[in-house]
Amino acid sequence: MFGKLSSPELIIYTFVALILALWFHWRWKHRYFLDLAEKLPGPPSYPLIGTTSMFTHTYDETIAKLKENAEQYNYEPVGTWIGPIHYVSVVKPEDIQIVLNNSRALEKGQLYSFLKSLLGEGLLTASVDRWRKHRRIISYAFNVKFLEQLYPVFNEKNKILVKNLRKNINSTQPFDLWDYIISTTFDTICQTAMDYRINEKHNKTEFLDLMTTIANQLVKTVNRPYLYPSLFFSIYRSMSGLGEKLELINKLPLQLIDEKKIDFRSKIVESDSYPEEFTNEKKNKFKTFIDTLLEASENDPDFTNADIRDEVITMMFAGSDTNATTECFCLLLLAIHQDIQDEVYDEIYNVVRDSDRELTPEDTANFSYLEQVIKETLRMYPTISVFTRQLVEDVKVTNYVLPRGASVTISPIVTHHCPHLYPNPEAFNPDNFSIENVAKRHKYSYIAFSGGPRGCIGMKYAMISMKLMITEILRNFSVHTDIKLSDVRIKMNDAFTRKVGGYPITIRPRDRRPSYVRRNTRVA
C-alpha cells in the first residue's frame, strides 16, 4: 500500500512504532494511577509534553499560574504534568493537613532529589528511614533549654551587626540589607550549632555565593524534565561545571568537621575526669549540635562521616538562608509601614526601656506583637514558596483520592494569599495573627514552617533568632525606604523566595522615646 520503503523511512517508522509501543505499555502498566489522575480537575495536558500552561519564564509567572489554577478550580486539588511527573497542587488547609500528617506522604519530591547533590541526605532531603533516624539524633539540639543557652551568642552577633550597619547611618543613599544580614545569620548558625567561629582564614563570602549559585542551578533543573533520568543529569552535572562547584563547596564544612572532631575527643577525655555527682544533664549542657552528630558517629557505625557532612551543610544552608530572607523582608516591610514599626518599637520599649542590656528569654516571650509581624512577613513571603511530597500509596483528601506515585505540591504562598482565609491578602497586616484571628482559621492556613512530622525542626530557633536580631536593630535605628509595597517583586533563588533588586533601606539613629511621646513632642 505504501510501496517499497527506503532504509531511512524504515528506520523512522520503526522508531515511531517503538515509541508508541512503549507509550501504550506505560499507560497500560499505570492504568490505575492514570484513572485516578484523570479524575482530578486541571488544565489540559498532552503526551510527552505535559501541561504546557505550567511552563513559565519567570518565578512570578509560576506563582501567578498556581494562584490562577487554585481560583479556577475552587481550591480543589489540581492535577498537572511536567514531563513524566504528575503533580497535584493542594491548597485547602483541610487537604494540606491530611497530606502533611499522612505516613504515606513523608517522602520528598523531585525538587529535593536535585538538592541532594548539594545537601546530601540531610534532614531537608533525606529519605524517610534516614530522616527518622537523623531527627531522633538531632532533636536534642532544638529543645527550649538548649536554645536558651544560645542567647549570649545571638546577642554578641547582633551587636556586631549593629556596629557594621552604623557606617550607613544618616546616609541618603539606600543600601542593601542582604549582605549584612546573611553574613550575621551564617556566623550565628556556625557558632550556635557548631561552636565554630568563622574568621579571616575562611572565605565566607565565596562559600555563601557558591552555595547560592549551586542551589539556584539545581532548582532550575526541576522545569527541565529531560534531566530527570540520572544518566542525563550526570552528563549535565559534568558538562555544566556543577560537579566542580560541588567539590569546592565541601571545603569549609569538611574543615569544620575535622577541627570539631579534635575538640570532641578532648571533651570526652575531659568528661572522664568529672566527679560522679556531675550528672549527665550537666554534661549535656555543653553539648552542641555537631557534638550530637559526632557522638552518634562514635556510638553507631552506620552513622557515617557522610551523614555528619550532610547534616552540617544542611544546617549551614537552611539555618542561615531562611532566617536572613525573612529578616530582610521584615525590616523592609517595617520601613514601608512606619506606623507598624512604631508599634513594634513601643513594645520593645515597654520591655527593655531605653537600656542597652542584653536580651533574655523572658524578653523574647514578651515580644508578642513582633511575633505577629514576623508571622505576617512569612505569610506574605514564605521562605519556601513551593514544596512537594511523593505519595507511596493513595491518599484520600476531602473530595478526591490522590494516586500513589503522584508528587503533591503544596505552595504556602498560594494558601497564604487565599482571600477567604486572609481578607485583603496583598496587604501587610500583622493583626492577621492576633489571638482572635488565629482562632478563627484552620491550623494549616499558615504553613510557613511546613507541618506534620516533617515540619521544620528549627522553627523555635528561627523565631528566637529573628526576634532578637530585629529587636537589636530597632533599638538602635529606625529603618526607612522610598519603595512601596506594590513595588516588591519576588523570585525564586537557591530554593528560597527572594525580592528582586534586593532590600534597599536607609537608617537613622533611633529616638528611644516611645512613639506617642515623640508624636506629642512634635505637636507641641
Side-chain angles (χ1 to χ4, degrees):
M1 180 173 65
F2 295 102
K4 189 174 180 179
L5 296 175
S6 65
S7 294
E9 288 174 327
L10 187 59
I11 291 172
I12 292 170
Y13 283 127
T14 302
F15 178 74
V16 170
L18 179 61
I19 293 295
L20 289 173
L22 290 172
W23 171 251
F24 285 115
H25 173 73
W26 183 86
R27 289 191 64 85
W28 173 254
K29 184 179 177 181
H30 296 88
R31 60 192 181 280
Y32 173 76
F33 167 81
L34 293 169
D35 181 55
L36 289 179
E38 287 169 3
K39 291 177 181 177
L40 292 167
S45 62
Y46 306 94
L48 301 179
I49 300 172
T51 308
T52 54
S53 62
M54 293 305 296
F55 288 89
T56 57
H57 296 291
T58 66
Y59 177 65
D60 270 354
E61 290 176 359
T62 301
I63 296 301
K65 180 57 65 176
L66 290 171
K67 288 181 180 179
E68 179 186 315
N69 284 344
E71 294 168 7
Q72 181 178 350
Y73 298 101
N74 199 30
Y75 302 99
E76 293 292 344
V78 175
T80 57
W81 290 86
I82 295 182
I85 307 296
H86 185 247
Y87 289 90
V88 181
S89 179
V90 173
V91 178
K92 287 196 304 188
E94 298 83 357
D95 290 343
I96 291 172
Q97 181 177 23
I98 291 170
V99 172
L100 293 184
N101 286 280
N102 199 302
S103 61
R104 306 168 195 169
L106 293 176
E107 289 287 0
K108 297 294 186 83
Q110 190 69 36
L111 169 63
Y112 298 89
S113 68
F114 288 123
L115 283 176
K116 283 182 183 179
S117 298
L118 171 61
L119 304 178
E121 291 256 3
L123 276 188
L124 185 64
T125 53
S127 59
V128 173
D129 290 342
R130 188 180 295 258
W131 160 76
R132 284 197 177 102
K133 178 180 178 179
H134 286 209
R135 184 155 181 138
R136 281 196 301 271
I137 293 168
I138 291 169
S139 58
Y140 159 79
F142 291 95
N143 69 57
V144 174
K145 287 186 177 180
F146 178 78
L147 294 176
E148 287 179 353
Q149 298 173 41
L150 305 179
Y151 273 68
V153 179
F154 289 129
N155 286 318
E156 175 198 345
K157 300 301 181 185
N158 291 335
K159 287 184 184 301
I160 293 171
L161 170 63
V162 165
K163 180 181 177 182
N164 291 333
L165 287 172
R166 201 174 293 280
K167 66 184 180 183
N168 298 290
I169 206 160
N170 287 328
S171 171
T172 57
Q173 284 297 111
F175 67 94
D176 188 355
L177 272 169
W178 177 254
D179 287 342
Y180 293 95
I181 302 294
I182 187 61
S183 178
T184 302
T185 57
F186 185 72
D187 286 351
T188 303
I189 198 66
C190 285
Q191 192 166 340
T192 54
M194 270 79 76
D195 192 22
Y196 194 80
R197 286 182 178 271
I198 300 294
N199 55 39
E200 303 80 35
K201 69 180 179 180
H202 306 103
N203 195 330
K204 176 175 59 178
T205 302
E206 181 184 11
F207 177 84
L208 291 170
D209 289 346
L210 191 57
M211 182 169 280
T212 298
T213 301
I214 293 170
N216 196 30
Q217 192 171 348
L218 290 169
V219 167
K220 287 179 179 177
T221 59
V222 175
N223 262 353
R224 300 172 182 174
Y226 53 87
L227 293 178
Y228 287 8
S230 56
L231 174 62
F232 293 162
F233 182 71
S234 296
I235 295 170
Y236 167 77
R237 177 173 163 157
S238 176
M239 296 186 66
S240 66
L242 178 60
E244 294 176 9
K245 294 173 189 170
L246 289 167
E247 286 183 17
L248 190 58
I249 197 73
N250 279 306
K251 184 177 178 181
L252 176 56
L254 291 177
Q255 178 184 342
L256 183 157
I257 292 166
D258 286 342
E259 292 183 26
K260 296 315 295 182
K261 279 182 177 179
I262 296 171
D263 290 348
F264 180 71
R265 293 190 184 103
S266 299
K267 287 182 182 180
I268 292 176
V269 172
E270 185 181 344
S271 68
D272 290 340
S273 64
Y274 290 153
E276 190 66 32
E277 62 269 19
F278 202 87
T279 63
N280 285 332
E281 181 180 351
K282 290 181 180 178
K283 289 180 183 180
N284 284 339
K285 180 179 180 181
F286 303 101
K287 187 165 65 174
T288 64
F289 166 80
I290 196 167
D291 287 338
T292 305
L293 299 178
L294 294 170
E295 186 178 85
S297 181
E298 288 277 328
N299 298 329
D300 181 359
D302 291 332
F303 197 85
T304 65
N305 287 333
D307 291 324
I308 298 172
R309 177 265 173 200
D310 293 349
E311 295 300 350
V312 166
I313 199 165
T314 296
M315 181 64 72
M316 287 177 155
F317 176 62
S320 60
D321 223 308
T322 54
N323 281 6
T325 299
T326 302
E327 286 153 350
C328 286
F329 269 119
C330 186
L331 289 164
L332 183 67
L333 288 166
L334 291 175
I336 294 171
H337 300 86
Q338 290 291 314
D339 55 335
I340 298 175
Q341 184 181 162
D342 283 345
E343 197 166 345
V344 172
Y345 178 72
D346 288 350
E347 179 179 72
I348 294 169
Y349 180 86
N350 290 335
V351 174
V352 300
R353 313 308 285 182
D354 62 352
S355 73
D356 288 316
R357 68 171 175 81
E358 294 201 341
L359 298 167
T360 67
E362 293 73 25
D363 294 331
T364 56
N366 289 320
F367 295 145
S368 55
Y369 186 69
L370 175 56
E371 184 166 323
Q372 288 179 218
V373 167
I374 293 171
K375 287 182 174 179
E376 175 68 354
T377 302
L378 282 164
R379 179 194 71 79
M380 294 191 71
Y381 308 112
T383 50
I384 297 180
S385 294
V386 180
F387 55 89
T388 58
R389 293 286 187 271
Q390 191 75 28
L391 301 188
V392 296
E393 295 291 343
D394 296 348
V395 172
K396 173 73 171 69
V397 292
T398 49
N399 295 321
Y400 292 92
V401 175
L402 310 184
R404 176 185 67 204
S407 285
V408 177
T409 298
I410 296 170
S411 175
I413 202 166
V414 173
T415 297
H416 290 179
H417 284 75
C418 289
H420 60 280
L421 298 175
Y422 298 94
N424 194 13
E426 305 304 323
F428 180 63
N429 178 19
D431 286 340
N432 279 322
F433 291 92
S434 67
I435 294 173
E436 299 76 18
N437 285 329
V438 169
K440 295 174 187 176
R441 291 192 302 268
H442 191 285
K443 179 181 177 182
Y444 281 74
S445 298
Y446 177 72
I447 47 172
F449 294 97
S450 185
R454 293 203 77 162
C456 177
I457 195 173
M459 179 173 63
K460 290 177 182 176
Y461 174 95
M463 191 56 70
I464 290 170
S465 61
M466 288 188 290
K467 279 186 176 183
L468 291 173
M469 178 184 283
I470 293 166
T471 297
E472 191 62 32
I473 290 173
L474 294 183
R475 287 167 87 185
N476 288 274
F477 312 115
S478 59
V479 293
H480 306 267
T481 187
D482 291 331
I483 72 170
K484 300 179 178 63
L485 187 60
S486 57
D487 297 329
V488 176
R489 295 287 179 270
I490 56 175
K491 60 183 178 179
M492 191 167 182
N493 222 35
D494 63 14
F496 299 122
T497 306
R498 294 274 194 272
K499 178 188 168 292
V500 175
Y503 308 87
I505 66 164
T506 58
I507 57 174
R508 301 172 193 165
R510 167 62 66 186
D511 182 338
R512 294 203 173 188
R513 296 171 297 171
S515 62
Y516 66 87
V517 173
R518 283 181 270 127
R519 282 194 295 269
N520 290 341
T521 302
R522 286 195 294 269
V523 170

